[in-house]
């Protein structure tokens, strides 16, 4: 019997649920790794934003009808409050439009949190027709309706060798990326039980 792989990233777009699991080869989608995008807009720091992952047209085919070729998932892991809005401002460019907290903390989400999340190549494990309501039931306190056309959820991973939230992992703290694919704007925040 083959062990089931952990779903690291979940997405919902155009009535389809997508789940992404660890791949055994370099891929078109990934979790973690370095943020190699130019970040402009609102000043923040001193710690940098974290690159949570990357999805794109090959990962979610319905993005092919938009101007988005790649979708970087960026989040302020070291910024208490965890609410950020950014827009895709060109090839490998992100403009930060808003943040609930612009000053990072040394001990948030816990002391010694790394500057770089482990790089994990991903493959699409499933693409299942499903309503947004059914998708949202799997995660705590999701909004009744997303703002954008694509919503991506990243629950605390158990198999990457790193805790995202320390003692918050068992609480199911989930990072949510609500993406307006028409404007290239992403509102990222977290939800918990």
């Amino acid at each position: 019997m083959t062990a089931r792989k952990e779903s690291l990233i979940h997405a919902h777009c155009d009535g389809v649920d997508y789940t992404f699991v660890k791949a055994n080869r370099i891929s078109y989608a990934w979790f973690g790794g370095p943020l190699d995008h130019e970040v402009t807009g609102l000043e923040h720091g001193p710690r940098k934003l974290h690159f949570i992952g990357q999805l794109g047209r090959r990962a979610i085919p319905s993005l092919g009808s938009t101007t988005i070729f790649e979708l970087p998932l960026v989040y302020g892991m070291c910024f208490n409050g965890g609410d950020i809005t950014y827009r895709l401002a060109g090839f490998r460019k992100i403009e930060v439009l808003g943040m609930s907290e612009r000053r990072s903390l040394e001990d948030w989400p816990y002391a010694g949190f790394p500057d770089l999340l482990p790089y994990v190549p991903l493959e699409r494990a499933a693409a299942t027709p499903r309503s947004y309501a059914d998708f949202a039931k799997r995660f705590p306190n999701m909004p009744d309706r997303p703002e954008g056309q694509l919503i991506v959820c990243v629950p605390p991973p158990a198999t990457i060798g790193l805790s995202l939230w320390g003692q918050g992992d068992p609480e199911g703290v989930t990072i949510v990326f609500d993406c307006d694919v028409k404007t290239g704007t992403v509102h990222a925040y977290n939800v918990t039980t």
Side-chain angles (χ1 to χ4, degrees):
M1 176 190 246
T2 303
R4 185 171 169 232
K5 292 182 178 182
E6 176 185 27
S7 296
L8 295 172
I9 295 180
H10 305 261
H12 184 81
C13 188
D14 289 340
V16 179
D17 270 10
Y18 299 92
T19 55
F20 298 90
V21 300
K22 182 178 181 179
N24 295 325
R25 58 182 168 64
I26 301 299
S27 179
Y28 52 82
W30 59 90
F31 177 95
L35 177 58
D36 62 354
H37 290 64
E38 178 186 349
V39 179
T40 63
L42 289 179
E43 289 189 27
H44 55 279
R47 300 227 24 210
K48 295 184 180 198
L49 299 173
H50 278 84
F51 195 57
I52 304 300
Q54 173 102 359
L55 299 175
R57 291 180 181 181
R58 293 182 70 191
I60 300 176
S62 60
L63 288 179
S65 63
T66 72
T67 59
I68 296 175
F69 183 73
E70 59 180 29
L71 176 64
L73 304 173
V74 178
Y75 192 69
M77 291 299 302
C78 298
F79 296 79
N80 189 5
D83 194 300
I84 180 173
T85 301
Y86 61 93
R87 106 181 149 81
L88 309 178
F91 181 69
R92 297 198 185 262
K93 293 181 182 179
I94 296 168
E95 179 185 11
V96 177
L97 303 174
M99 291 180 78
S100 59
E101 182 62 48
R102 293 170 50 187
R103 181 150 182 80
S104 62
L105 302 172
E106 280 302 313
D107 60 351
W108 187 264
Y110 54 83
F113 192 82
D115 290 333
L116 186 68
L117 299 181
Y119 170 80
V120 179
L122 300 175
E123 64 186 0
R124 189 174 57 226
T128 309
R130 184 171 288 142
S131 70
Y132 169 76
D134 286 339
F135 171 82
K137 286 178 189 175
R138 294 186 292 170
F139 308 102
N141 295 311
M142 290 289 286
D144 290 336
R145 300 191 113 156
E147 298 167 20
Q149 303 79 27
L150 166 64
I151 193 151
V152 179
C153 292
V154 182
T159 60
I160 65 166
L162 173 77
S163 166
L164 283 187
W165 301 103
Q167 293 183 6
D169 282 353
E171 296 174 9
V173 178
T174 298
I175 304 170
V176 178
F177 298 89
D178 195 336
C179 313
D180 184 332
V181 299
K182 295 174 183 172
T183 64
T185 303
V186 180
H187 178 206
Y189 55 92
N190 69 64
V191 293
T192 187
T193 55

